[in-house]
Amino acid sequence: MEIMEGYNEKKYQSDEDSDPDFRDDDKQNEAMQQYRDQRLQEIQEYNELPKYGYIKHITKQDYVQEINDAPEDVMVVLVLYQDYIEESVKLVEIMEVIAKKHVLVKFVKSIATKTIPDFADAHCPGILIYQNGEILHKMIPALTELGGFKVSVKIVEWVFSKKGILECDLEEDPRDDLYRMNITKTNKGDRNGDGDESDEEEREKKGYLHTHHWSSYKK
């Protein structure tokens, strides 16, 4: 009986060495373990990152602490607004939604003229984007690039993703829908004899094409 047991044990080991299914199982197990280890490392690294999840109101006195001294490599989005300008209030509300979705980005807001005394209402709302204390992007006025009063969460996410500020799963520019609607309106107006603007002019008027970079506003 002992001889047979030894024989069976050797046969099993021999089968394990020669059977490709056994070898494939070993490779799959090794690959799964590597994947689990990698995921655990990614989760650990993510858990160690600073997180925010809301838009914080700051004053001029808070500027250095909240922006210049933000953790290394953290993107900081500063929204300059006026609470009596409808477009400003709308953009701040949109930023509140985005801040909850993209917790690794730091969002702050400030009354424009209390942070930059000569900031004109015509430039509100404005957006300044910082990293490591340096300005990476200026969007002043911001809605020129964000679809005008048609600004939405998706439009802001798309534009920010193209600037490397955050990641989103959108595959097409949401502003294209606005452009197509504007073209349809313009064509209808032309047929009715009351549309005298070109498609290009219409796109410019709706804030689709241009991005202004203002160097006059300093921190």
Side-chain angles (χ1 to χ4, degrees):
M1 194 67 180
E2 291 179 358
I3 295 175
M4 289 301 295
E5 287 178 357
Y7 169 79
N8 289 335
E9 183 178 345
K10 289 180 180 179
K11 183 176 185 304
Y12 177 78
Q13 291 174 344
S14 176
D15 289 343
E16 191 177 39
D17 293 337
S18 60
D19 191 332
D21 290 338
F22 282 108
R23 293 197 299 272
D24 289 344
D25 286 344
D26 288 342
K27 289 180 181 178
Q28 289 177 2
N29 291 336
E30 183 180 353
M32 285 298 296
Q33 186 60 49
Q34 289 178 349
Y35 174 76
R36 282 194 292 267
D37 292 344
Q38 181 180 349
R39 287 293 296 135
L40 286 173
Q41 183 178 351
E42 290 173 354
I43 291 170
Q44 183 177 352
E45 291 174 353
Y46 177 83
N47 289 337
E48 292 174 354
L49 293 173
K51 297 173 187 65
Y52 304 95
Y54 66 99
I55 183 167
K56 182 177 182 179
H57 180 83
I58 66 170
T59 65
K60 187 176 182 179
Q61 288 69 34
D62 301 323
Y63 187 98
V64 172
Q65 177 182 345
E66 297 295 339
I67 295 178
N68 283 2
D69 294 343
E72 186 178 3
D73 295 334
V74 167
M75 290 285 186
V76 183
V77 177
L78 169 62
V79 182
L80 298 166
Y81 75 107
Q82 294 289 6
D83 54 12
Y84 54 81
I85 298 177
E86 188 177 1
E87 292 89 342
S88 281
V89 174
K90 181 175 183 178
L91 184 61
V92 168
E93 291 173 349
I94 287 171
M95 290 299 187
E96 289 172 349
V97 175
I98 294 175
K100 290 178 182 178
K101 294 176 63 178
H102 302 276
V103 298
L104 298 182
V105 179
K106 183 175 183 178
F107 289 85
V108 294
K109 63 180 179 178
S110 183
I111 299 294
T113 48
K114 290 186 178 180
T115 302
I116 304 172
D118 61 340
F119 201 92
D121 282 358
H123 299 156
C124 285
I127 295 175
L128 299 175
I129 298 156
Y130 300 79
Q131 188 179 47
N132 300 324
E134 300 291 331
I135 295 179
L136 297 185
H137 305 284
K138 300 177 185 179
M139 301 168 65
I140 302 176
L143 296 190
T144 301
E145 193 173 351
L146 298 175
F149 199 67
K150 297 290 187 181
V151 61
S152 66
V153 170
K154 287 184 177 181
I155 289 176
V156 175
E157 285 184 317
W158 175 268
V159 173
F160 278 12
S161 70
K162 293 305 175 185
K163 294 180 182 293
I165 300 162
L166 50 78
E167 295 181 357
C168 72
D169 55 4
L170 296 172
E171 296 181 356
E172 294 184 357
D173 189 338
R175 294 171 299 179
D176 289 345
D177 291 335
L178 300 181
Y179 175 54
R180 283 189 285 268
M181 285 190 294
N182 291 336
I183 291 297
T184 301
K185 280 184 179 180
T186 302
N187 290 340
K188 286 182 178 178
D190 288 341
R191 287 196 294 271
N192 293 331
D194 57 0
D196 54 4
E197 286 187 326
S198 68
D199 291 346
E200 187 80 0
E201 290 170 338
E202 182 70 11
R203 291 185 79 185
E204 291 185 8
K205 187 178 77 174
K206 294 298 182 181
Y208 186 88
L209 292 180
H210 294 307
T211 303
H212 294 293
H213 296 280
W214 294 75
S215 57
S216 58
Y217 292 116
K218 303 293 184 182
K219 53 193 177 203

